[in-house]
Amino acid sequence: MNLYDLLTPGRIILHLRGTDKEAVFHELADVLVEEGIVLDKQGFMKAVLDRERQGTTGIGDGIAIPHGRSAFVRRPALALGVSRRGVAFDSLDGKPVHLVFMIAVPDQADEEHLYILAELSRMLLQEEIRNGLMEAETKQEILDILRKQRNENSETENRMGEQTKKLVAITACPTGIAHTYMAAEALEKAAKELGYAIRVETQGSVGAEHTLTSEEIEEADAVIIAADKKVDLQRFANKRVLETSVSSAIKDAKRLIEAALQASERPPLEYQEQVQRAKEQKKDSMPNFYKHLMNGVSHMIPLVTAGGLLIAISFAFGITAFNDPSSPYYTIAKALMDIGGGSAFALMVPILSGFIAMSIADRPGLAPGLVGGILASTLGAGFLGGIISGFLAGYVAKWIRDGIRLPKNLQGLMPVLIIPFLATAIVGLVMIFIIGTPVKEMMTGLTDGLKNMGTSASVGLGLLLGAMMASDMGGPINKVAYTFATGMLGSQTDAGYMIMAAVMAAGMVPPIGMALSTWIAPKKYTKEEQEAGKAAAVLGISFITEGAIPFAARDPFRVIPSIVIGSAVTGGLSMLFRATLRAPHGGIFVLAVPNAVGHVLLYALAILIGAVVTALIVTFLKKPVDQA
């Protein structure tokens, strides 16, 4: 997508009639309605005027960029109005406006909205382009200017990869659009003249755009932060960083670039910051399938945790007190069971399904996803049925949203009537007549098989799940094992509780094992790694498997096999000891909850043995620091 493709001759007004901004807004909105971009002018104008009340979109130099996100916009588009005499616009510089670019984007098109706004602001900072647009006699002249700019941008992108010095920068201004992009443009021009390559992330009032990737940061020789507000610097550890103001970048960008290449390096990240950064990178690198699934799982987990612990506490009043009216504790035990099992667990599958669908299709996917999840529960299809109904609902809602085109006067009914009605009907019918029964039989077979599995089979399953938890420490394989365990926890069977116990125990082992190794063999670790071991221990007992990632990143061929073996041992032992767990998170802290963990001493022993195995193997494999 580029600006040239968003503007057509029909969306250009060479001679605006209006003399104030609201009149001009109506002129440009009329053009967008005639072009079939805006389906309801009144609804779109409300979005534009609401945005204008937040602060003027007149950025100075005779330019205004009003914009509106609305459910009544079919697809991203631009409209341009030119006024020779000028429009009263309360601009930032107090001068009349001669060029008015109106941006129209659908309600949920945040990425497209920011891209258009950033590219348009960046282009209009060039005086020759502004003058060319103001002086254009025909619509084709305007389009030719945009086409030329698009081609020049492509050539610049191609040349950047061939430069020697590489820089990255962030420009950020809290008060408006213009200064953020003026600073970015100044840095890009200066770098080009100096023969350097640069990537600039802008953080204006509209949000972040052209976000720097970890690879770009890693390859950069220096970092420039030209900002008038707080910017997170965690990602720039071990990099030369120069911090300055937006105005400094605008006034003397060349000097800043040369100074940045001589700046001092920032210190390395604290261990906890490294872990958090690694978690974010893993999340970003996951395929869309896992992102959608994890969106559902993350919203489901609080229900499983609350429900499981409340059920466990109800058992503290007597294992059958909640079902025995003669028990003196019946009332409170039954209330806790109704809250945990009857309510929290009942919502588990619908929430899983609904938020998977919402991740795919945004809000239109939520209603059919929730209904599909409820049907999965009532039909006995369980968490697997919830996953299937979530993906089905999401893609059906997305297909209806993108594929069905109604007359203009009916388009506003899509998000509130057409999509939820059709998607819910389709998902419901498919779940009842096609998917529900086979998945129920599959879940019944799986549950029965787990209930009846022998000792050797249970230990084998524990070994497999334990190895999966450690293999990529929070990546897709880890998430598959964890999702399976949380799903089985909802079955409220001993087999499901045993699987959850094995998975959480195994997930705790990698950071604990690495911490133990730093304590028993400090000469094989740097001072920094020894300090990191203390933090890793805390992360491990909190069930944050990612706590081992920084160690694995530094020495993957020794660390990863060690933690996989240790976690597999713990998973197998947990199953052998028939330890059970009723909560999907919490680490060792759930041990304090009555009945949350079954065979608690053996469970702790399984974790300890796995951590020791990891520590011994990695300690044996690693060499002293001075020999590494």
Side-chain angles (χ1 to χ4, degrees):
M1 180 176 62
N2 56 71
L3 301 180
Y4 174 76
D5 294 329
L6 296 172
L7 190 66
T8 65
R11 299 173 207 158
I12 299 174
I13 302 175
L14 286 175
H15 302 283
L16 287 168
R17 298 188 304 274
T19 57
D20 62 83
K21 65 179 179 181
E22 190 162 343
V24 168
F25 290 171
H26 279 283
E27 282 186 67
L28 293 172
D30 286 337
V31 168
L32 292 171
V33 170
E34 291 171 7
E35 287 272 299
I37 300 299
V38 171
L39 304 169
D40 182 273
K41 179 184 173 183
Q42 184 177 359
F44 174 67
M45 280 295 296
K46 181 180 184 302
V48 173
L49 293 173
D50 285 347
R51 167 58 188 89
E52 198 66 27
R53 292 187 192 100
Q54 298 174 18
T56 181
T57 54
I59 64 174
D61 292 320
I63 301 164
I65 311 177
H67 45 98
R69 289 181 299 175
S70 170
F72 301 107
V73 177
R74 290 181 60 189
R75 59 180 182 276
L78 282 174
L80 168 62
V82 181
S83 174
R84 309 295 179 180
R85 58 187 172 183
V87 178
F89 213 96
D90 58 286
S91 299
L92 293 176
D93 60 2
K95 297 179 181 178
V97 164
H98 298 277
L99 292 174
V100 184
F101 275 92
M102 177 172 278
I103 302 173
V105 290
D107 194 23
Q108 301 302 319
D110 293 343
E111 185 175 343
E112 292 88 344
H113 180 210
L114 293 175
Y115 170 83
I116 298 169
L117 191 53
E119 289 300 306
L120 193 56
S121 301
R122 190 189 304 270
M123 180 189 73
L124 293 174
L125 290 173
Q126 301 180 49
E127 185 177 1
E128 61 274 19
I129 291 181
R130 296 198 305 269
N131 292 338
L133 293 172
M134 291 180 188
E135 296 168 3
E137 298 293 336
T138 66
K139 297 179 180 182
Q140 189 57 49
E141 287 182 43
I142 290 175
L143 294 174
D144 288 343
I145 291 171
L146 295 183
R147 182 171 59 242
K148 180 182 177 183
Q149 180 66 16
R150 177 196 63 182
N151 295 338
E152 288 179 355
N153 287 342
S154 298
E155 292 173 5
T156 301
E157 290 289 323
N158 293 334
R159 288 197 302 269
M160 276 185 167
E162 304 169 1
Q163 305 292 343
T164 51
K165 294 289 185 182
K166 294 184 178 180
L167 301 102
V168 293
I170 293 178
T171 60
C173 175
T175 57
I177 300 168
H179 287 167
T180 300
Y181 299 108
M182 288 173 68
E185 181 72 14
L187 288 170
E188 288 172 349
K189 284 186 175 181
K192 182 178 178 182
E193 292 174 7
L194 292 169
Y196 301 152
I198 191 169
R199 297 281 190 236
V200 184
E201 175 181 317
T202 54
Q203 296 183 6
S205 61
V206 296
E209 181 61 25
H210 301 295
T211 304
L212 299 173
T213 66
S214 56
E215 291 80 10
E216 288 170 346
I217 295 171
E218 181 65 27
E219 294 174 357
D221 295 293
V223 180
I224 298 173
I225 308 296
D228 294 330
K229 66 178 184 178
K230 184 175 177 58
V231 172
D232 180 14
L233 300 179
Q234 285 188 10
R235 18 178 196 169
F236 305 118
N238 300 320
K239 288 292 177 184
R240 298 182 184 277
V241 177
L242 176 69
E243 296 184 73
T244 186
S245 65
V246 170
S247 59
S248 296
I250 296 172
K251 293 176 183 176
D252 196 352
K254 284 186 179 180
R255 182 186 62 80
L256 290 183
I257 290 174
E258 297 294 1
L261 292 169
Q262 303 299 320
S264 58
E265 293 183 357
R266 281 184 56 79
L269 292 175
E270 294 292 332
Y271 187 76
Q272 292 88 338
E273 295 171 338
Q274 294 180 43
V275 172
Q276 184 60 33
R277 182 63 57 193
K279 290 175 69 173
E280 292 172 359
Q281 290 175 352
K282 276 186 174 290
K283 183 178 179 181
D284 291 340
S285 64
M286 282 185 177
N288 286 334
F289 171 84
Y290 286 103
K291 291 180 181 178
H292 301 323
L293 178 61
M294 286 305 104
N295 189 60
V297 171
S298 65
H299 283 87
M300 176 188 75
I301 291 302
L303 292 168
V304 184
T305 302
L309 292 179
L310 286 166
I311 292 171
I313 294 173
S314 75
F315 292 154
F317 295 94
I319 201 68
T320 60
F322 68 89
N323 202 29
D324 181 7
S326 65
S327 168
Y329 306 108
Y330 169 73
T331 302
I332 184 65
K334 185 177 188 304
L336 291 171
M337 179 59 72
D338 288 345
I339 296 169
S343 299
F345 270 27
L347 286 170
M348 184 184 82
V349 174
I351 290 298
L352 170 68
S353 175
F355 281 92
I356 289 174
M358 191 172 180
S359 177
I360 296 169
D362 215 302
R363 283 179 292 181
L366 183 60
L370 290 171
V371 173
I374 290 174
L375 287 171
S377 294
T378 56
L379 293 170
F383 85 97
L384 183 57
I387 292 173
I388 294 173
S389 68
F391 280 98
L392 175 65
Y395 286 113
V396 167
K398 189 173 185 295
W399 172 74
I400 294 172
R401 183 190 68 191
D402 298 341
I404 295 181
R405 289 286 177 261
L406 295 178
K408 295 178 184 179
N409 58 338
L410 296 178
Q411 193 69 27
L413 297 176
M414 286 290 288
V416 296
L417 175 62
I418 306 299
I419 295 177
F421 167 66
L422 290 179
T424 301
I426 292 170
V427 170
L429 292 171
V430 171
M431 288 297 297
I432 292 172
F433 292 110
I434 301 175
I435 293 177
T437 301
V439 177
K440 175 187 176 182
E441 294 175 355
M442 186 185 306
M443 285 297 297
T444 301
L446 175 62
T447 304
D448 291 343
L450 291 172
K451 286 180 182 177
N452 300 322
M453 64 183 173
T455 301
S456 59
S458 65
V459 171
L461 179 59
L463 289 168
L464 174 62
L465 292 172
M468 292 174 68
M469 287 299 293
S471 62
D472 57 0
M473 296 159 286
I477 298 174
N478 170 286
K479 296 304 182 188
V480 167
Y482 183 67
T483 302
F484 173 65
T486 53
M488 292 310 302
L489 187 62
S491 68
Q492 301 186 51
T493 62
D494 285 342
Y497 300 146
M498 287 170 60
I499 289 170
M500 190 70 251
V503 163
M504 190 161 88
M508 295 164 64
V509 164
I512 298 174
M514 293 308 304
L516 186 58
S517 179
T518 64
W519 298 338
I520 64 178
K523 292 183 179 180
K524 295 193 174 185
Y525 296 90
T526 64
K527 289 293 184 182
E528 179 188 347
E529 289 174 322
Q530 292 175 37
E531 289 299 315
K534 300 173 184 177
V538 176
L539 295 174
I541 64 175
S542 304
F543 184 40
I544 301 176
T545 314
E546 292 89 344
I549 289 177
F551 289 100
R554 293 188 185 101
D555 192 1
F557 296 108
R558 295 184 179 90
V559 171
I560 292 178
S562 303
I563 62 177
V564 168
I565 294 172
S567 292
V569 168
T570 290
L573 287 174
S574 178
M575 295 291 277
L576 178 65
F577 297 154
R578 303 191 70 79
T580 58
L581 177 65
R582 296 176 181 273
H585 222 294
I588 65 167
F589 303 104
V590 298
L591 302 183
V593 180
N595 295 310
V597 182
H599 302 294
V600 61
L601 294 179
L602 290 175
Y603 185 63
L605 179 61
I607 296 171
L608 178 60
I609 291 174
V612 170
V613 168
T614 290
L616 292 177
I617 295 175
V618 75
T619 300
F620 173 77
L621 293 177
K622 287 183 76 69
K623 297 178 181 179
V625 173
D626 57 359
Q627 298 178 19

